Amino acid sequence: MQWHRLVFFVGGFDPKSPRHYHRLYRGAAKHRCLSADQETVAVGPLRQVSSWQQFWDVRWSGRSGGHDTRFTVLAWDDIVRQHWHRDLWHALGAYWRYYVGGTRQGLFGRVWPVAKDTWLLGMFPLLIALGVALMCALSAFVAAKLLPAWSTWIWLLAPCLWLFAWRQVETRLDSEWLVRLYGFSHLQAAGRVPELDARVSDMADAVVAAAEAARRDPDQLCQEVLIVGHSTGSIVAASVLARVLERAPWLGQDGPRVSCLTLGHCTPAVAFFSSASAFRRDLALVVAHAPLTWLDYSAPGDWAAFHRVGPWLVPGAATTWQGSPRFHAIMDPAAYEVVKRNRLSMHMQYLRSSTRPGAYDYVRLTAGPLTLRAHWQLHHASGSALAPSIEQTHGRA
């Protein structure tokens, strides 16, 4: 089969397998089939290529004809599970790495000016720990005053009470995943996850092989190689794309166009560590590639995303644009209120179906008739649907 587009998707720091993303995509496509005029989207079954590479095929049919997309998930959930610890000592280690290491490396001072809401979310687990510690200390003080004969034992047991209460509150408020993510980000910035570095190299090889096969196709029907990164997957996707461009600098000039789509990006969570010099070089290499089109959708209501700073951090020769998906406009008010109250649901909404048509359409962006560059050119020229609500950054037009 001839492919109109080759999509390579990288998910975030999540132990869920590609089956989860396939289910989300099918749901988004099904909703779009019901709402779109004269357009249908058929999503095929999930198929496995290797232990970390699975794909499904998408058939888009509309007034412009039929378009076929191969959607490949470049998985690293097995690596995430190796760092998805639930025990106390790993949690304490993650706290130490992120808060102490991040302070030493100036992370929080760099995040605050550009993403105050994200900075506050980053402080949330620490505030829980300190708040519970304060409550336990006050309780121990009162108990020691009321029972002076037992005061020594009370103060000896207070740390144990704090650990127990802290873990219970942390679980109830669902902040454990933040701690795991932040601790991992510290290791990732310093290049201390060798298994991820090896996986990134393998992912890049897979993308280059597919792009070379498309370039050798005498019919040249493949119009685009699209790298998609969601959440912290935007960090991995950028590194994959850097390796791809090192090995295939012709990409975008000879053969299919090359594009990058990031959703709810988190690149500063790693790039702002002073130890992340290798990752910052990756970003500089990617954004210097003139044929590249890089669009980012990050919602102001998503505190886990950096919606006021582009994922590329500095401008380059590539065409870059950042805007909001405007979830409040493409969802029913009641549904949006439910999502808004759950920070994890808000962060996953980029991959889910919406209840109203709008400018942000995940399925159209990844399987529709237009390349990402054509999508940007169309709406940039009209100055309408793609117009960002917060920030716009352009490289070369």
Side-chain angles (χ1 to χ4, degrees):
M1 182 180 290
Q2 300 292 335
W3 305 109
H4 171 69
R5 179 185 290 105
L6 298 171
V7 175
F8 296 91
F9 173 85
V10 185
F13 187 78
D14 195 329
K16 294 185 178 68
S17 72
R19 189 173 301 279
H20 170 69
Y21 296 106
H22 180 243
R23 184 165 56 249
L24 289 176
Y25 199 92
R26 268 192 161 169
K30 180 180 179 180
H31 174 80
R32 205 185 188 292
C33 291
L34 296 175
S35 64
D37 182 30
Q38 298 182 15
E39 293 176 340
T40 60
V41 185
V43 180
L46 185 66
R47 303 180 186 276
Q48 186 159 334
V49 177
S50 66
S51 60
W52 54 268
Q53 196 176 171
Q54 299 186 41
F55 72 89
W56 59 83
D57 297 331
V58 186
R59 174 70 175 179
W60 177 289
S61 300
R63 284 170 291 184
S64 60
H67 304 277
D68 294 292
T69 294
R70 171 146 292 184
F71 197 108
T72 301
V73 177
L74 303 177
W76 57 297
D77 54 290
D78 56 321
I79 298 173
V80 173
R81 283 191 291 274
Q82 294 174 25
H83 295 265
W84 199 261
H85 304 294
R86 296 182 181 273
D87 60 277
L88 172 63
W89 296 113
H90 280 100
L92 292 173
Y95 268 80
W96 180 267
R97 287 196 303 273
Y98 183 67
Y99 292 110
V100 177
T103 300
R104 287 174 175 171
Q105 296 189 41
L107 171 70
F108 304 111
R110 297 185 185 105
V111 170
W112 174 256
V114 299
K116 292 179 175 58
D117 44 6
T118 309
W119 185 94
L120 290 171
L121 182 64
M123 291 294 110
F124 182 58
L126 181 61
L127 292 176
I128 290 175
L130 294 178
V132 173
L134 178 61
M135 293 299 296
C136 289
L138 289 174
S139 299
F141 177 79
V142 171
K145 287 294 184 181
L146 294 176
L147 302 169
W150 295 87
S151 61
T152 301
W153 286 105
I154 289 171
W155 286 111
L156 288 175
L157 291 174
C160 298
L161 174 63
W162 169 72
L163 286 173
F164 175 79
W166 164 55
R167 296 292 283 169
Q168 294 300 311
V169 173
E170 186 180 52
T171 301
R172 183 174 293 275
L173 295 180
D174 193 28
S175 66
E176 281 188 303
W177 67 276
L178 287 172
V179 176
R180 298 187 195 103
L181 167 60
Y182 295 151
F184 182 84
S185 297
H186 178 272
L187 297 176
Q188 187 178 7
R192 292 169 55 192
V193 191
E195 61 272 26
L196 180 59
D197 295 337
R199 182 66 52 82
V200 165
S201 182
D202 291 341
M203 290 175 175
D205 286 341
V207 175
V208 171
E212 287 179 338
R215 182 173 65 155
R216 291 194 301 267
D217 182 357
D219 296 326
Q220 284 289 323
L221 295 180
C222 183
Q223 296 185 16
E224 181 179 36
V225 172
L226 173 61
I227 311 293
V228 181
H230 171 248
S231 183
T232 53
S234 58
I235 300 168
V236 179
S239 292
V240 169
L241 187 52
R243 300 290 86 71
V244 168
L245 295 177
E246 284 178 341
R247 298 167 194 182
W250 49 264
L251 191 57
Q253 304 173 74
D254 184 13
R257 285 195 172 276
V258 59
S259 307
C260 183
L261 174 66
T262 46
L263 309 171
H265 86 90
C266 304
T267 59
V270 167
F272 281 2
F273 279 101
S274 59
S275 60
S277 56
F279 178 60
R280 290 191 292 273
R281 284 195 299 270
D282 285 347
L283 289 176
L285 188 156
V286 169
V287 81
H289 192 67
L292 173 71
T293 298
W294 187 345
L295 305 188
D296 175 74
Y297 285 91
S298 295
D302 178 13
W303 284 28
F306 287 77
H307 66 273
R308 294 189 182 276
V309 55
W312 39 83
L313 299 186
V314 293
T319 297
T320 55
W321 181 93
Q322 181 183 43
S324 169
R326 297 176 59 81
F327 289 141
H328 67 280
I330 61 176
M331 300 179 68
D332 291 332
Y336 179 69
E337 286 300 319
V338 171
V339 169
K340 192 168 65 172
R341 288 195 295 267
N342 187 315
R343 59 183 179 272
L344 185 56
S345 291
M346 175 66 77
H347 197 51
M348 294 300 296
Q349 187 59 40
Y350 304 92
L351 308 181
R352 290 176 174 150
S353 59
S354 300
T355 51
R356 295 177 177 177
Y360 178 75
D361 187 330
Y362 176 50
V363 177
R364 176 180 282 276
L365 285 167
T366 55
L370 298 180
T371 64
L372 205 64
R373 176 139 185 124
H375 178 84
W376 176 80
Q377 288 174 326
L378 173 66
H379 294 287
H380 178 58
S382 65
S384 58
L386 199 61
S389 61
I390 46 175
E391 176 183 358
Q392 184 165 305
T393 306
H394 294 297
R396 202 175 83 169

